[in-house]
Amino acid sequence: MTPFDHEIVIVGAGVAGIGAAIEFQRRGLTDFVILERADEVGGTWRDNVYPGLTVDIPTLIYSYSYAQKPDWSSLWAPQAELLDYCRDTVETHDLRPRLRFGCEVLEAWFEAEAGGWRVRLADGTELSCRFLVNASGYLSTPKWPDLPGLAAFRGTRLHSAQWPEGLDLAGRRVAFIGTGATGIQLAPKLAGVADRLHVFQRTPIWLLPKPAMRLPRALQRTFRRLPWTQRLARLLVSGFMDLVVFRRFTFYRQVAWLGWIAEWACRRHLSGQVEDPGLRDRLTPRFAWGCKRPSFSSDYFPIFNRPDVELVDDPIERLTPDGIVTSDGTVREVDAVICATGFQAFEKSALPTYPVRGRDGEDLADYWDRGRYQAFRGFAVHGYPNFFLMFGPYSVSSSSYFGMVETTARSIARCLLEARRRDAGTVEVDARSQAQEFARILRAKERSIWAGSACRGSNTYYLDRFGDTPGFRPSSHPREWLASRFAPMKHFRFQPIPAPHPRVEQPAESG
Ligand code: NAP
């Protein structure tokens, strides 16, 4: 009988939280609750509803391996379909009773005497648990541009991650800031709707084509009848993506030619889509492909051929109540400012989205601020016993997000089961193991694309304020898959359950 409200609390009901819950359930770790601040599951696929949002990683690898969906409508499934997929997975695995919506976690702290965690919620209540698993996402806190005058702008001002239902920009003059993975999806949906669209580009982006690819019915039927064909397709796509995308990150020098091929393909794509050579030049990055997240679009570049769309690459100086002023002194009066300016990825206090105080009372955000981002195998941090991260620093090792959710959840479940087997109260990664792994990661970075001058001027969010790349794990999916099953437990310290304090009865007050 556990003295806690729950053995496990999972924070966040996005893809990672759902995946963790399913893994725990399958392993017999059934005493858990999932806390979700919103009123529905789905995380990023619930919050981001801007027009044009589709996944830009082939859907064949964008699903749980144990919940294959043979009838994806497209190789790039739209947001609504992905949200439905999350909901369906929750139903199929009977997770609804475990979900508590409208539960925003404000802080969590480790109680050494109890050997567990207390979690304070926004409604003032508290919960206790033996194990705390954070799945609050690392791209969940929108990042607004730090531009003078933005708050005083009088027109519509919104971030792509907070798109209001039914927003109509027809006939309005729109300033569009940001040309990352979101910007290239959203801007084409506004071109031709807005009276005038000014796209403010700070850094150009390498773009590979993304042709519309509906999954043919015959293929869907084959996947349904012969599920192994879908598994095979998944394996091939995932292997190819990892080879092209990830090998280049981790073994940049050895496979530099892969990047040259990608750059050549991007240039060809651009020249096939944009007529004006001057414009093409302004849209061409001056840094190597792969410094920023590889992006794909077949409808972004053509918008710049339109007379009602303008590419602005003079830096933004400030906003006025009615418009935007660039460094060359030009004032563009606009009715709306749309910021597709991304998320606070590895920025202080964005991961997790609430303070987490470990054994010594130090907030994890402060610990990382002092000692740089680090987490053993991306999921455990020394000094934070019984606390685990779905997607902590150095956890992303593959292009298959779902694949990583599965390996991370399995690794965490193994720790929890090992604690149970040893009758231990706490499990904590050993300081030396964490330090050794961090040193190995830093050495590996020297072989990566970010080590030399190739990424100068890319402004990539992959590099944090320390010049580290916590968004990447120099590993591979097969390696992480094996580690999640067979890695030795010697890196973790298991401590006995603290003896309960004898209850001191208060003498009854006399008189
Ligand atoms: P992002 O990649 O961080 O891009 C933000 C954009 O805003 C960049 O172009 C950035 O310019 C620009 N920006 C930021 N502050 C600015 C300022 N003060 N002035 C001018 N420009 C400014 O964000 P994102 O496009 O939202 O993508 C974030 C991540 O979300 C992606 O990497 C991806 O992992 C995920 N995502 C996935 C999908 C999908 O289909 N699966 C779709 C969208 C997003 P700089 O380049 O100069 O910094």
Side-chain angles (χ1 to χ4, degrees):
M1 183 67 185
T2 165
F4 302 100
D5 294 321
H6 299 277
E7 187 182 16
I8 310 167
V9 164
I10 301 171
V11 182
V15 166
I18 297 170
I22 293 172
E23 182 65 23
F24 295 162
Q25 196 161 258
R26 284 152 59 116
R27 301 292 197 108
L29 296 159
T30 50
D31 181 8
F32 66 83
V33 66
I34 312 170
L35 307 181
E36 169 55 58
R37 66 181 166 188
D39 57 2
E40 183 49 292
V41 300
T44 199
W45 299 109
R46 174 204 60 226
D47 293 344
N48 288 272
V49 294
Y50 60 80
L53 175 55
T54 69
V55 67
D56 61 4
I57 289 166
T59 27
L60 289 174
I61 57 172
Y62 206 79
S63 54
Y64 303 103
S65 63
Y66 44 77
Q68 296 286 307
K69 179 173 152 61
D71 56 353
W72 288 112
S73 63
S74 156
L75 198 59
W76 326 108
Q79 172 266 336
E81 196 172 345
L82 285 154
L83 181 56
D84 281 346
Y85 174 75
C86 292
R87 288 187 183 124
D88 290 349
T89 310
V90 163
E91 300 305 334
T92 317
H93 290 83
D94 200 20
L95 291 177
R96 284 272 164 204
R98 313 298 187 124
L99 281 154
R100 280 182 55 185
F101 293 112
C103 280
E104 184 178 359
V105 174
L106 290 191
E107 66 175 321
W109 63 96
F110 183 69
E111 293 186 318
E113 285 185 5
W117 288 83
R118 273 196 99 72
V119 174
R120 187 164 65 83
L121 304 176
D123 66 3
T125 58
E126 288 181 6
L127 272 180
S128 64
C129 58
R130 167 86 62 205
F131 301 107
L132 180 63
V133 177
N134 180 69
S136 65
Y138 78 101
L139 293 174
S140 59
T141 309
K143 182 173 175 175
W144 286 87
D146 187 12
L147 292 171
L150 182 63
F153 178 71
R154 273 198 295 241
T156 305
R157 177 171 43 94
L158 57 94
H159 191 281
S160 56
Q162 294 158 342
W163 197 263
E165 207 182 321
L167 176 72
D168 186 8
L169 293 169
R172 298 171 74 187
R173 298 162 301 171
V174 176
F176 190 90
I177 306 174
T179 55
T182 301
I184 57 161
Q185 291 189 331
L186 176 53
K189 299 295 168 199
L190 306 183
V193 174
D195 176 54
R196 190 143 183 80
L197 182 67
H198 307 278
V199 178
F200 290 84
Q201 168 191 278
R202 189 165 66 179
T203 313
I205 185 168
W206 288 115
L207 278 191
L208 286 165
K210 185 183 168 194
M213 280 179 110
R214 295 201 71 74
L215 278 200
R217 288 211 181 283
L219 190 61
Q220 294 180 353
R221 271 199 303 276
T222 309
F223 284 164
R224 185 171 291 114
R225 283 186 201 146
L226 306 168
W228 65 266
T229 55
Q230 190 168 11
R231 284 199 292 275
L232 181 65
R234 182 185 171 94
L235 201 66
L236 294 175
V237 173
S238 148
F240 175 76
M241 294 281 292
D242 283 3
L243 179 73
V244 176
V245 178
F246 272 82
R247 296 303 77 205
R248 180 163 157 69
F249 289 149
T250 37
F251 297 108
Y252 173 54
R253 290 191 197 127
Q254 292 87 334
V255 290
W257 53 273
L258 274 176
W260 300 332
I261 295 174
E263 279 172 31
W264 170 80
C266 291
R267 282 180 205 279
R268 239 180 97 86
H269 180 46
L270 176 60
S271 57
Q273 291 202 310
V274 175
E275 293 139 19
D276 178 353
L279 202 50
R280 281 207 299 266
D281 187 54
R282 291 161 62 204
L283 287 165
T284 304
R286 302 288 188 257
F287 51 87
W289 182 87
C291 293
K292 299 187 92 135
R293 182 180 185 273
S295 290
F296 311 84
S297 170
S298 289
D299 59 1
Y300 174 67
F301 287 143
I303 65 174
F304 297 107
N305 297 324
R306 300 179 59 99
D308 52 0
V309 176
E310 181 196 18
L311 176 72
V312 186
D313 48 3
D314 282 312
I316 301 172
E317 196 179 87
R318 66 193 159 87
L319 278 88
T320 67
D322 306 303
I324 294 197
V325 185
T326 43
S327 63
D328 61 349
T330 308
V331 182
R332 287 172 182 83
E333 294 209 337
V334 291
D335 307 303
V337 174
I338 312 285
C339 299
T341 44
F343 301 87
Q344 297 175 29
F346 286 96
E347 292 181 25
K348 197 175 174 194
S349 304
L351 170 83
T353 46
Y354 48 92
V356 172
R357 300 185 205 291
R359 198 166 9 84
D360 299 330
E362 184 174 27
D363 180 8
L364 186 54
D366 292 328
Y367 168 73
W368 280 334
D369 205 37
R370 235 177 2 92
R372 300 154 79 168
Y373 281 103
Q374 45 183 304
F376 182 73
R377 291 182 44 213
F379 69 81
V381 185
H382 179 71
Y384 296 79
N386 291 1
F387 173 71
F388 299 95
L389 292 142
M390 297 291 296
F391 290 99
Y394 301 102
S395 58
V396 176
S397 60
S398 159
S399 51
S400 172
Y401 182 70
F402 282 77
M404 291 182 288
V405 166
E406 289 180 33
T407 51
T408 307
R410 195 180 301 120
S411 297
I412 297 172
R414 278 185 76 213
C415 289
L416 271 47
L417 287 169
E418 187 65 13
R420 184 184 275 186
R421 193 182 69 78
R422 297 186 189 203
D423 211 11
T426 60
V427 46
E428 178 181 357
V429 67
D430 180 55
R432 196 150 162 250
S433 298
Q434 182 177 311
Q436 282 174 344
E437 195 202 63
F438 188 47
R440 182 182 70 77
I441 285 172
L442 294 183
R443 282 195 302 276
K445 198 196 122 196
E446 293 313 310
R447 297 194 302 269
S448 81
I449 193 169
W450 300 286
S453 57
C455 293
R456 196 165 293 148
S458 66
N459 239 354
T460 177
Y461 75 78
Y462 287 157
L463 285 170
D464 70 7
R465 61 188 177 280
F466 305 107
D468 295 338
T469 53
F472 276 99
R473 180 166 190 75
S475 182
S476 63
H477 186 60
R479 192 167 157 177
E480 294 306 308
W481 188 91
L482 287 170
S484 71
R485 285 173 160 76
F486 306 114
M489 283 292 159
K490 64 179 182 194
H491 303 290
F492 294 92
R493 286 196 319 218
F494 293 87
Q495 302 285 349
I497 295 175
H501 287 275
R503 207 187 163 96
V504 181
E505 296 295 339
Q506 297 295 322
E509 291 213 359
S510 57

